[in-house]
Amino acid sequence: MKATIRYAAAAAGVFLFASTAIAQAPDAARRQEAAWKWLDQAMAPTLTEEQRPKLLWAAYNATASALCHEVTVDENRLGGVLATLLPAEDDGKISPEQRHHLENSLMVHLGAAMGIYAAENADHLTEFCGEAVALRDDKELTNDLFLPKAEEGDTAPK
């Protein structure tokens, strides 16, 4: 799973570079909207309308974990969400080549979404990270991908 996250992070880095340039343009809001529209269209051939929000939720959590030292994504939960977006391993209708293509597409989409989130929030990380902490600490949220808050004296690495 760590290789998957590294692959997505690399894709996000490329997209972040482009998104940062877009966000600095005079009509940033229109360009950000265009980026999300592009991503939705790019995901359409491989992800259903029901699957796309799951990928965006995973990307939000992964981005917050990458940008905010207060939160850490649970790689097992993240991997579980991403796995639900792929056909079952034993699906005889999907060839190994098709599965590889779907996995790569999924990582590109995840990386692109992370890049858009990072570009949108780069200028107000305090608020973005505060929202991520609030989500992490929300006891009623059932689809949280963050690890719980570290207890006082807990020195476990992030």
Side-chain angles (χ1 to χ4, degrees):
M1 185 64 211
K2 289 184 186 241
T4 299
I5 291 174
R6 282 194 297 271
Y7 182 77
V14 170
F15 198 80
L16 174 60
F17 177 76
S19 296
T20 302
I22 288 170
Q24 294 172 353
D27 194 6
R30 182 179 60 77
R31 291 177 188 271
Q32 288 173 356
E33 183 179 328
W36 286 114
K37 183 177 180 181
W38 166 83
L39 179 59
D40 190 61
Q41 290 171 347
M43 290 189 297
T46 54
L47 296 173
T48 66
E49 286 188 37
E50 293 78 26
Q51 290 175 315
R52 288 179 235 163
K54 291 179 183 179
L55 181 123
L56 296 179
W57 179 246
Y60 170 85
N61 281 262
T63 304
S65 180
L67 296 177
C68 309
H69 71 276
E70 303 92 347
V71 294
T72 303
V73 75
D74 183 321
E75 291 183 10
N76 290 326
R77 289 185 202 162
L78 177 63
V81 169
L82 296 176
T84 68
L85 303 177
L86 294 168
E89 289 282 340
D90 60 355
D91 187 340
K93 297 177 186 173
I94 305 294
S95 72
E97 293 80 17
Q98 289 170 318
R99 182 168 188 83
H100 182 71
H101 171 74
L102 291 172
E103 289 171 347
N104 285 341
S105 294
L106 184 67
M107 290 302 98
V108 168
H109 301 327
L110 179 68
M114 289 175 66
I116 296 171
Y117 279 126
E120 284 182 341
N121 294 289
D123 291 337
H124 52 91
L125 282 180
T126 302
E127 294 85 2
F128 177 70
C129 294
E131 291 168 3
V133 167
L135 285 172
R136 179 201 62 201
D137 296 343
D138 185 346
K139 302 298 181 211
E140 294 181 22
L141 188 61
T142 59
N143 61 345
D144 183 27
L145 298 179
F146 294 130
L147 290 171
K149 179 179 180 182
E151 299 299 321
E152 288 296 318
D154 186 0
T155 60
K158 180 176 175 181

